[in-house]
Every structure is written in structure tokens, then in C-alpha cells.
Amino acid sequence: MARRPAPPSPSPARPAEAAQGAPRTRRRERGADARRVDVREWTSGIRLSAFSVIMLSLVVLGTWVLVPTIGTYLSQKQKIAAVQASVQVTKEQIAALQLERERWNDPAYISTQARERLYYVKPGSVPFLVDNDLDPAALPKEPEPVSDEIVERKNDWMPQLLRSITASGLAKNAVEAPAR
């Protein structure tokens, strides 16, 4: 198994200078150098065995094969859920239609529908057809009669015009004019 090499340790540069008390800027520079890792040195220390290469290629190949399959699986699951929902709606519609068919098997329901929809009556009975059987509150009110008199109303247009002009002049604009 390949081992990753340890990052290089900072090389002690002039221990005598450190003992004398070098300026702080040099110490910071050396600290920054200590944190830097030479990438080329680090990558050259990586050793791959044949087993590692084979396993890595199998992982990549497996991912390459499985990702489209998983996408297809998820889309099919969504389609199945949509079809199941439509089947449920269709079953509800079938149940409603069966209930309607059972109602039509009842002779009383048939005679009621014939009377209401087609205005059929049994022989010997007197039919009554009521027009305007609405509630009086729901009926529209009759308009007031038009008067024969001509009434002149005072309407001074000049003050209205002045109010409109001053209101438009004092209104705040939505967009400020650009400064020149």
C-alpha cells in the first residue's frame, strides 16, 4: 500500500540568527515558508500499485455504469407514481358512474328525471309550469322612471382643471430624472 510522504519540515536557517533575535518580519517569512508545501515533491512520493490502479478503475467504471441506470430507475418510479394516481382517479370515476347506473335502475328516479328534464307527465295529471320562481330578493330591482324635467347642474370646470394641474405637478415621480 502506498504511503503518503509527510510534508517537508521547515529547515532551520541560521540558528545563530534566531538566537540573536531576528526581526519579526523574517520570522513571519520563515513561518510562511514552513506552511508552504512543495506539490511536486508531495505528488512524487505517491506510489500506486497495480492493485490500487485496478480498484480505482473498477470504482470509476462502476460509477460510469450505475449513474445512468439510477437516473432511469428514478424516472420510471415517477412515471409509475403518475400512472397509479391516474388509475386511482379512474377508479373513483368508475365508482361514480356505477352509482349513477344503479340510480337509473330505480323506476322512481326515472320518472322524476322524465318530469324534471323532459316535462313528461302521467296520464290524467295536470302539469303546472312556473315561470320566475325566483326569490323576490334575488330578482333585479326595476330602474327608476326617467323624469321629464331637465335639471341643470352647476359644474365649474376651471377649479377642477387647476386642482388637476397642481396635483400632477406635486406628485412624486417613480423614477428620478438623471442628473446632468
Side-chain angles (χ1 to χ4, degrees), residues 27-168:
R27 286 183 190 164
R28 285 185 189 155
E29 288 174 7
R30 272 191 268 134
D33 288 340
R35 281 185 246 136
R36 286 190 202 147
V37 175
D38 187 15
V39 176
R40 281 180 254 145
E41 182 182 327
W42 184 78
T43 55
S44 67
I46 296 176
R47 306 267 190 257
L48 291 177
S49 66
F51 178 76
S52 299
V53 170
I54 291 171
M55 293 309 289
L56 182 62
S57 63
L58 284 176
V59 168
V60 169
L61 180 67
T63 304
W64 185 64
V65 168
L66 288 180
V67 166
T69 307
I70 291 172
T72 305
Y73 172 76
L74 292 177
S75 68
Q76 287 178 351
K77 287 288 269 187
Q78 289 175 346
K79 288 178 184 177
I80 288 171
V83 168
Q84 285 175 345
S86 85
V87 166
Q88 182 65 29
V89 168
T90 306
K91 283 182 180 179
E92 291 171 0
Q93 289 175 346
I94 289 171
L97 289 172
Q98 286 175 346
L99 184 68
E100 178 99 12
R101 187 180 65 190
E102 289 173 8
R103 275 195 233 145
W104 281 102
N105 289 334
D106 183 17
Y109 183 76
I110 293 173
S111 63
T112 304
Q113 291 298 315
R115 261 186 269 123
E116 289 178 0
R117 292 184 181 184
L118 303 173
Y119 302 110
Y120 284 3
V121 291
K122 293 184 179 181
S125 62
V126 178
F128 290 100
L129 184 61
V130 180
D131 286 336
N132 296 329
D133 61 340
L134 299 174
D135 185 29
L139 292 174
K141 294 183 181 180
E142 293 185 22
E144 297 177 9
V146 179
S147 68
D148 294 335
E149 297 177 23
I150 297 176
V151 179
E152 187 177 328
R153 295 185 180 181
K154 291 189 173 187
N155 190 4
D156 195 8
W157 59 272
M158 186 57 104
Q160 180 64 27
L161 177 68
L162 290 174
R163 278 193 298 271
S164 175
I165 290 172
T166 56
S168 65

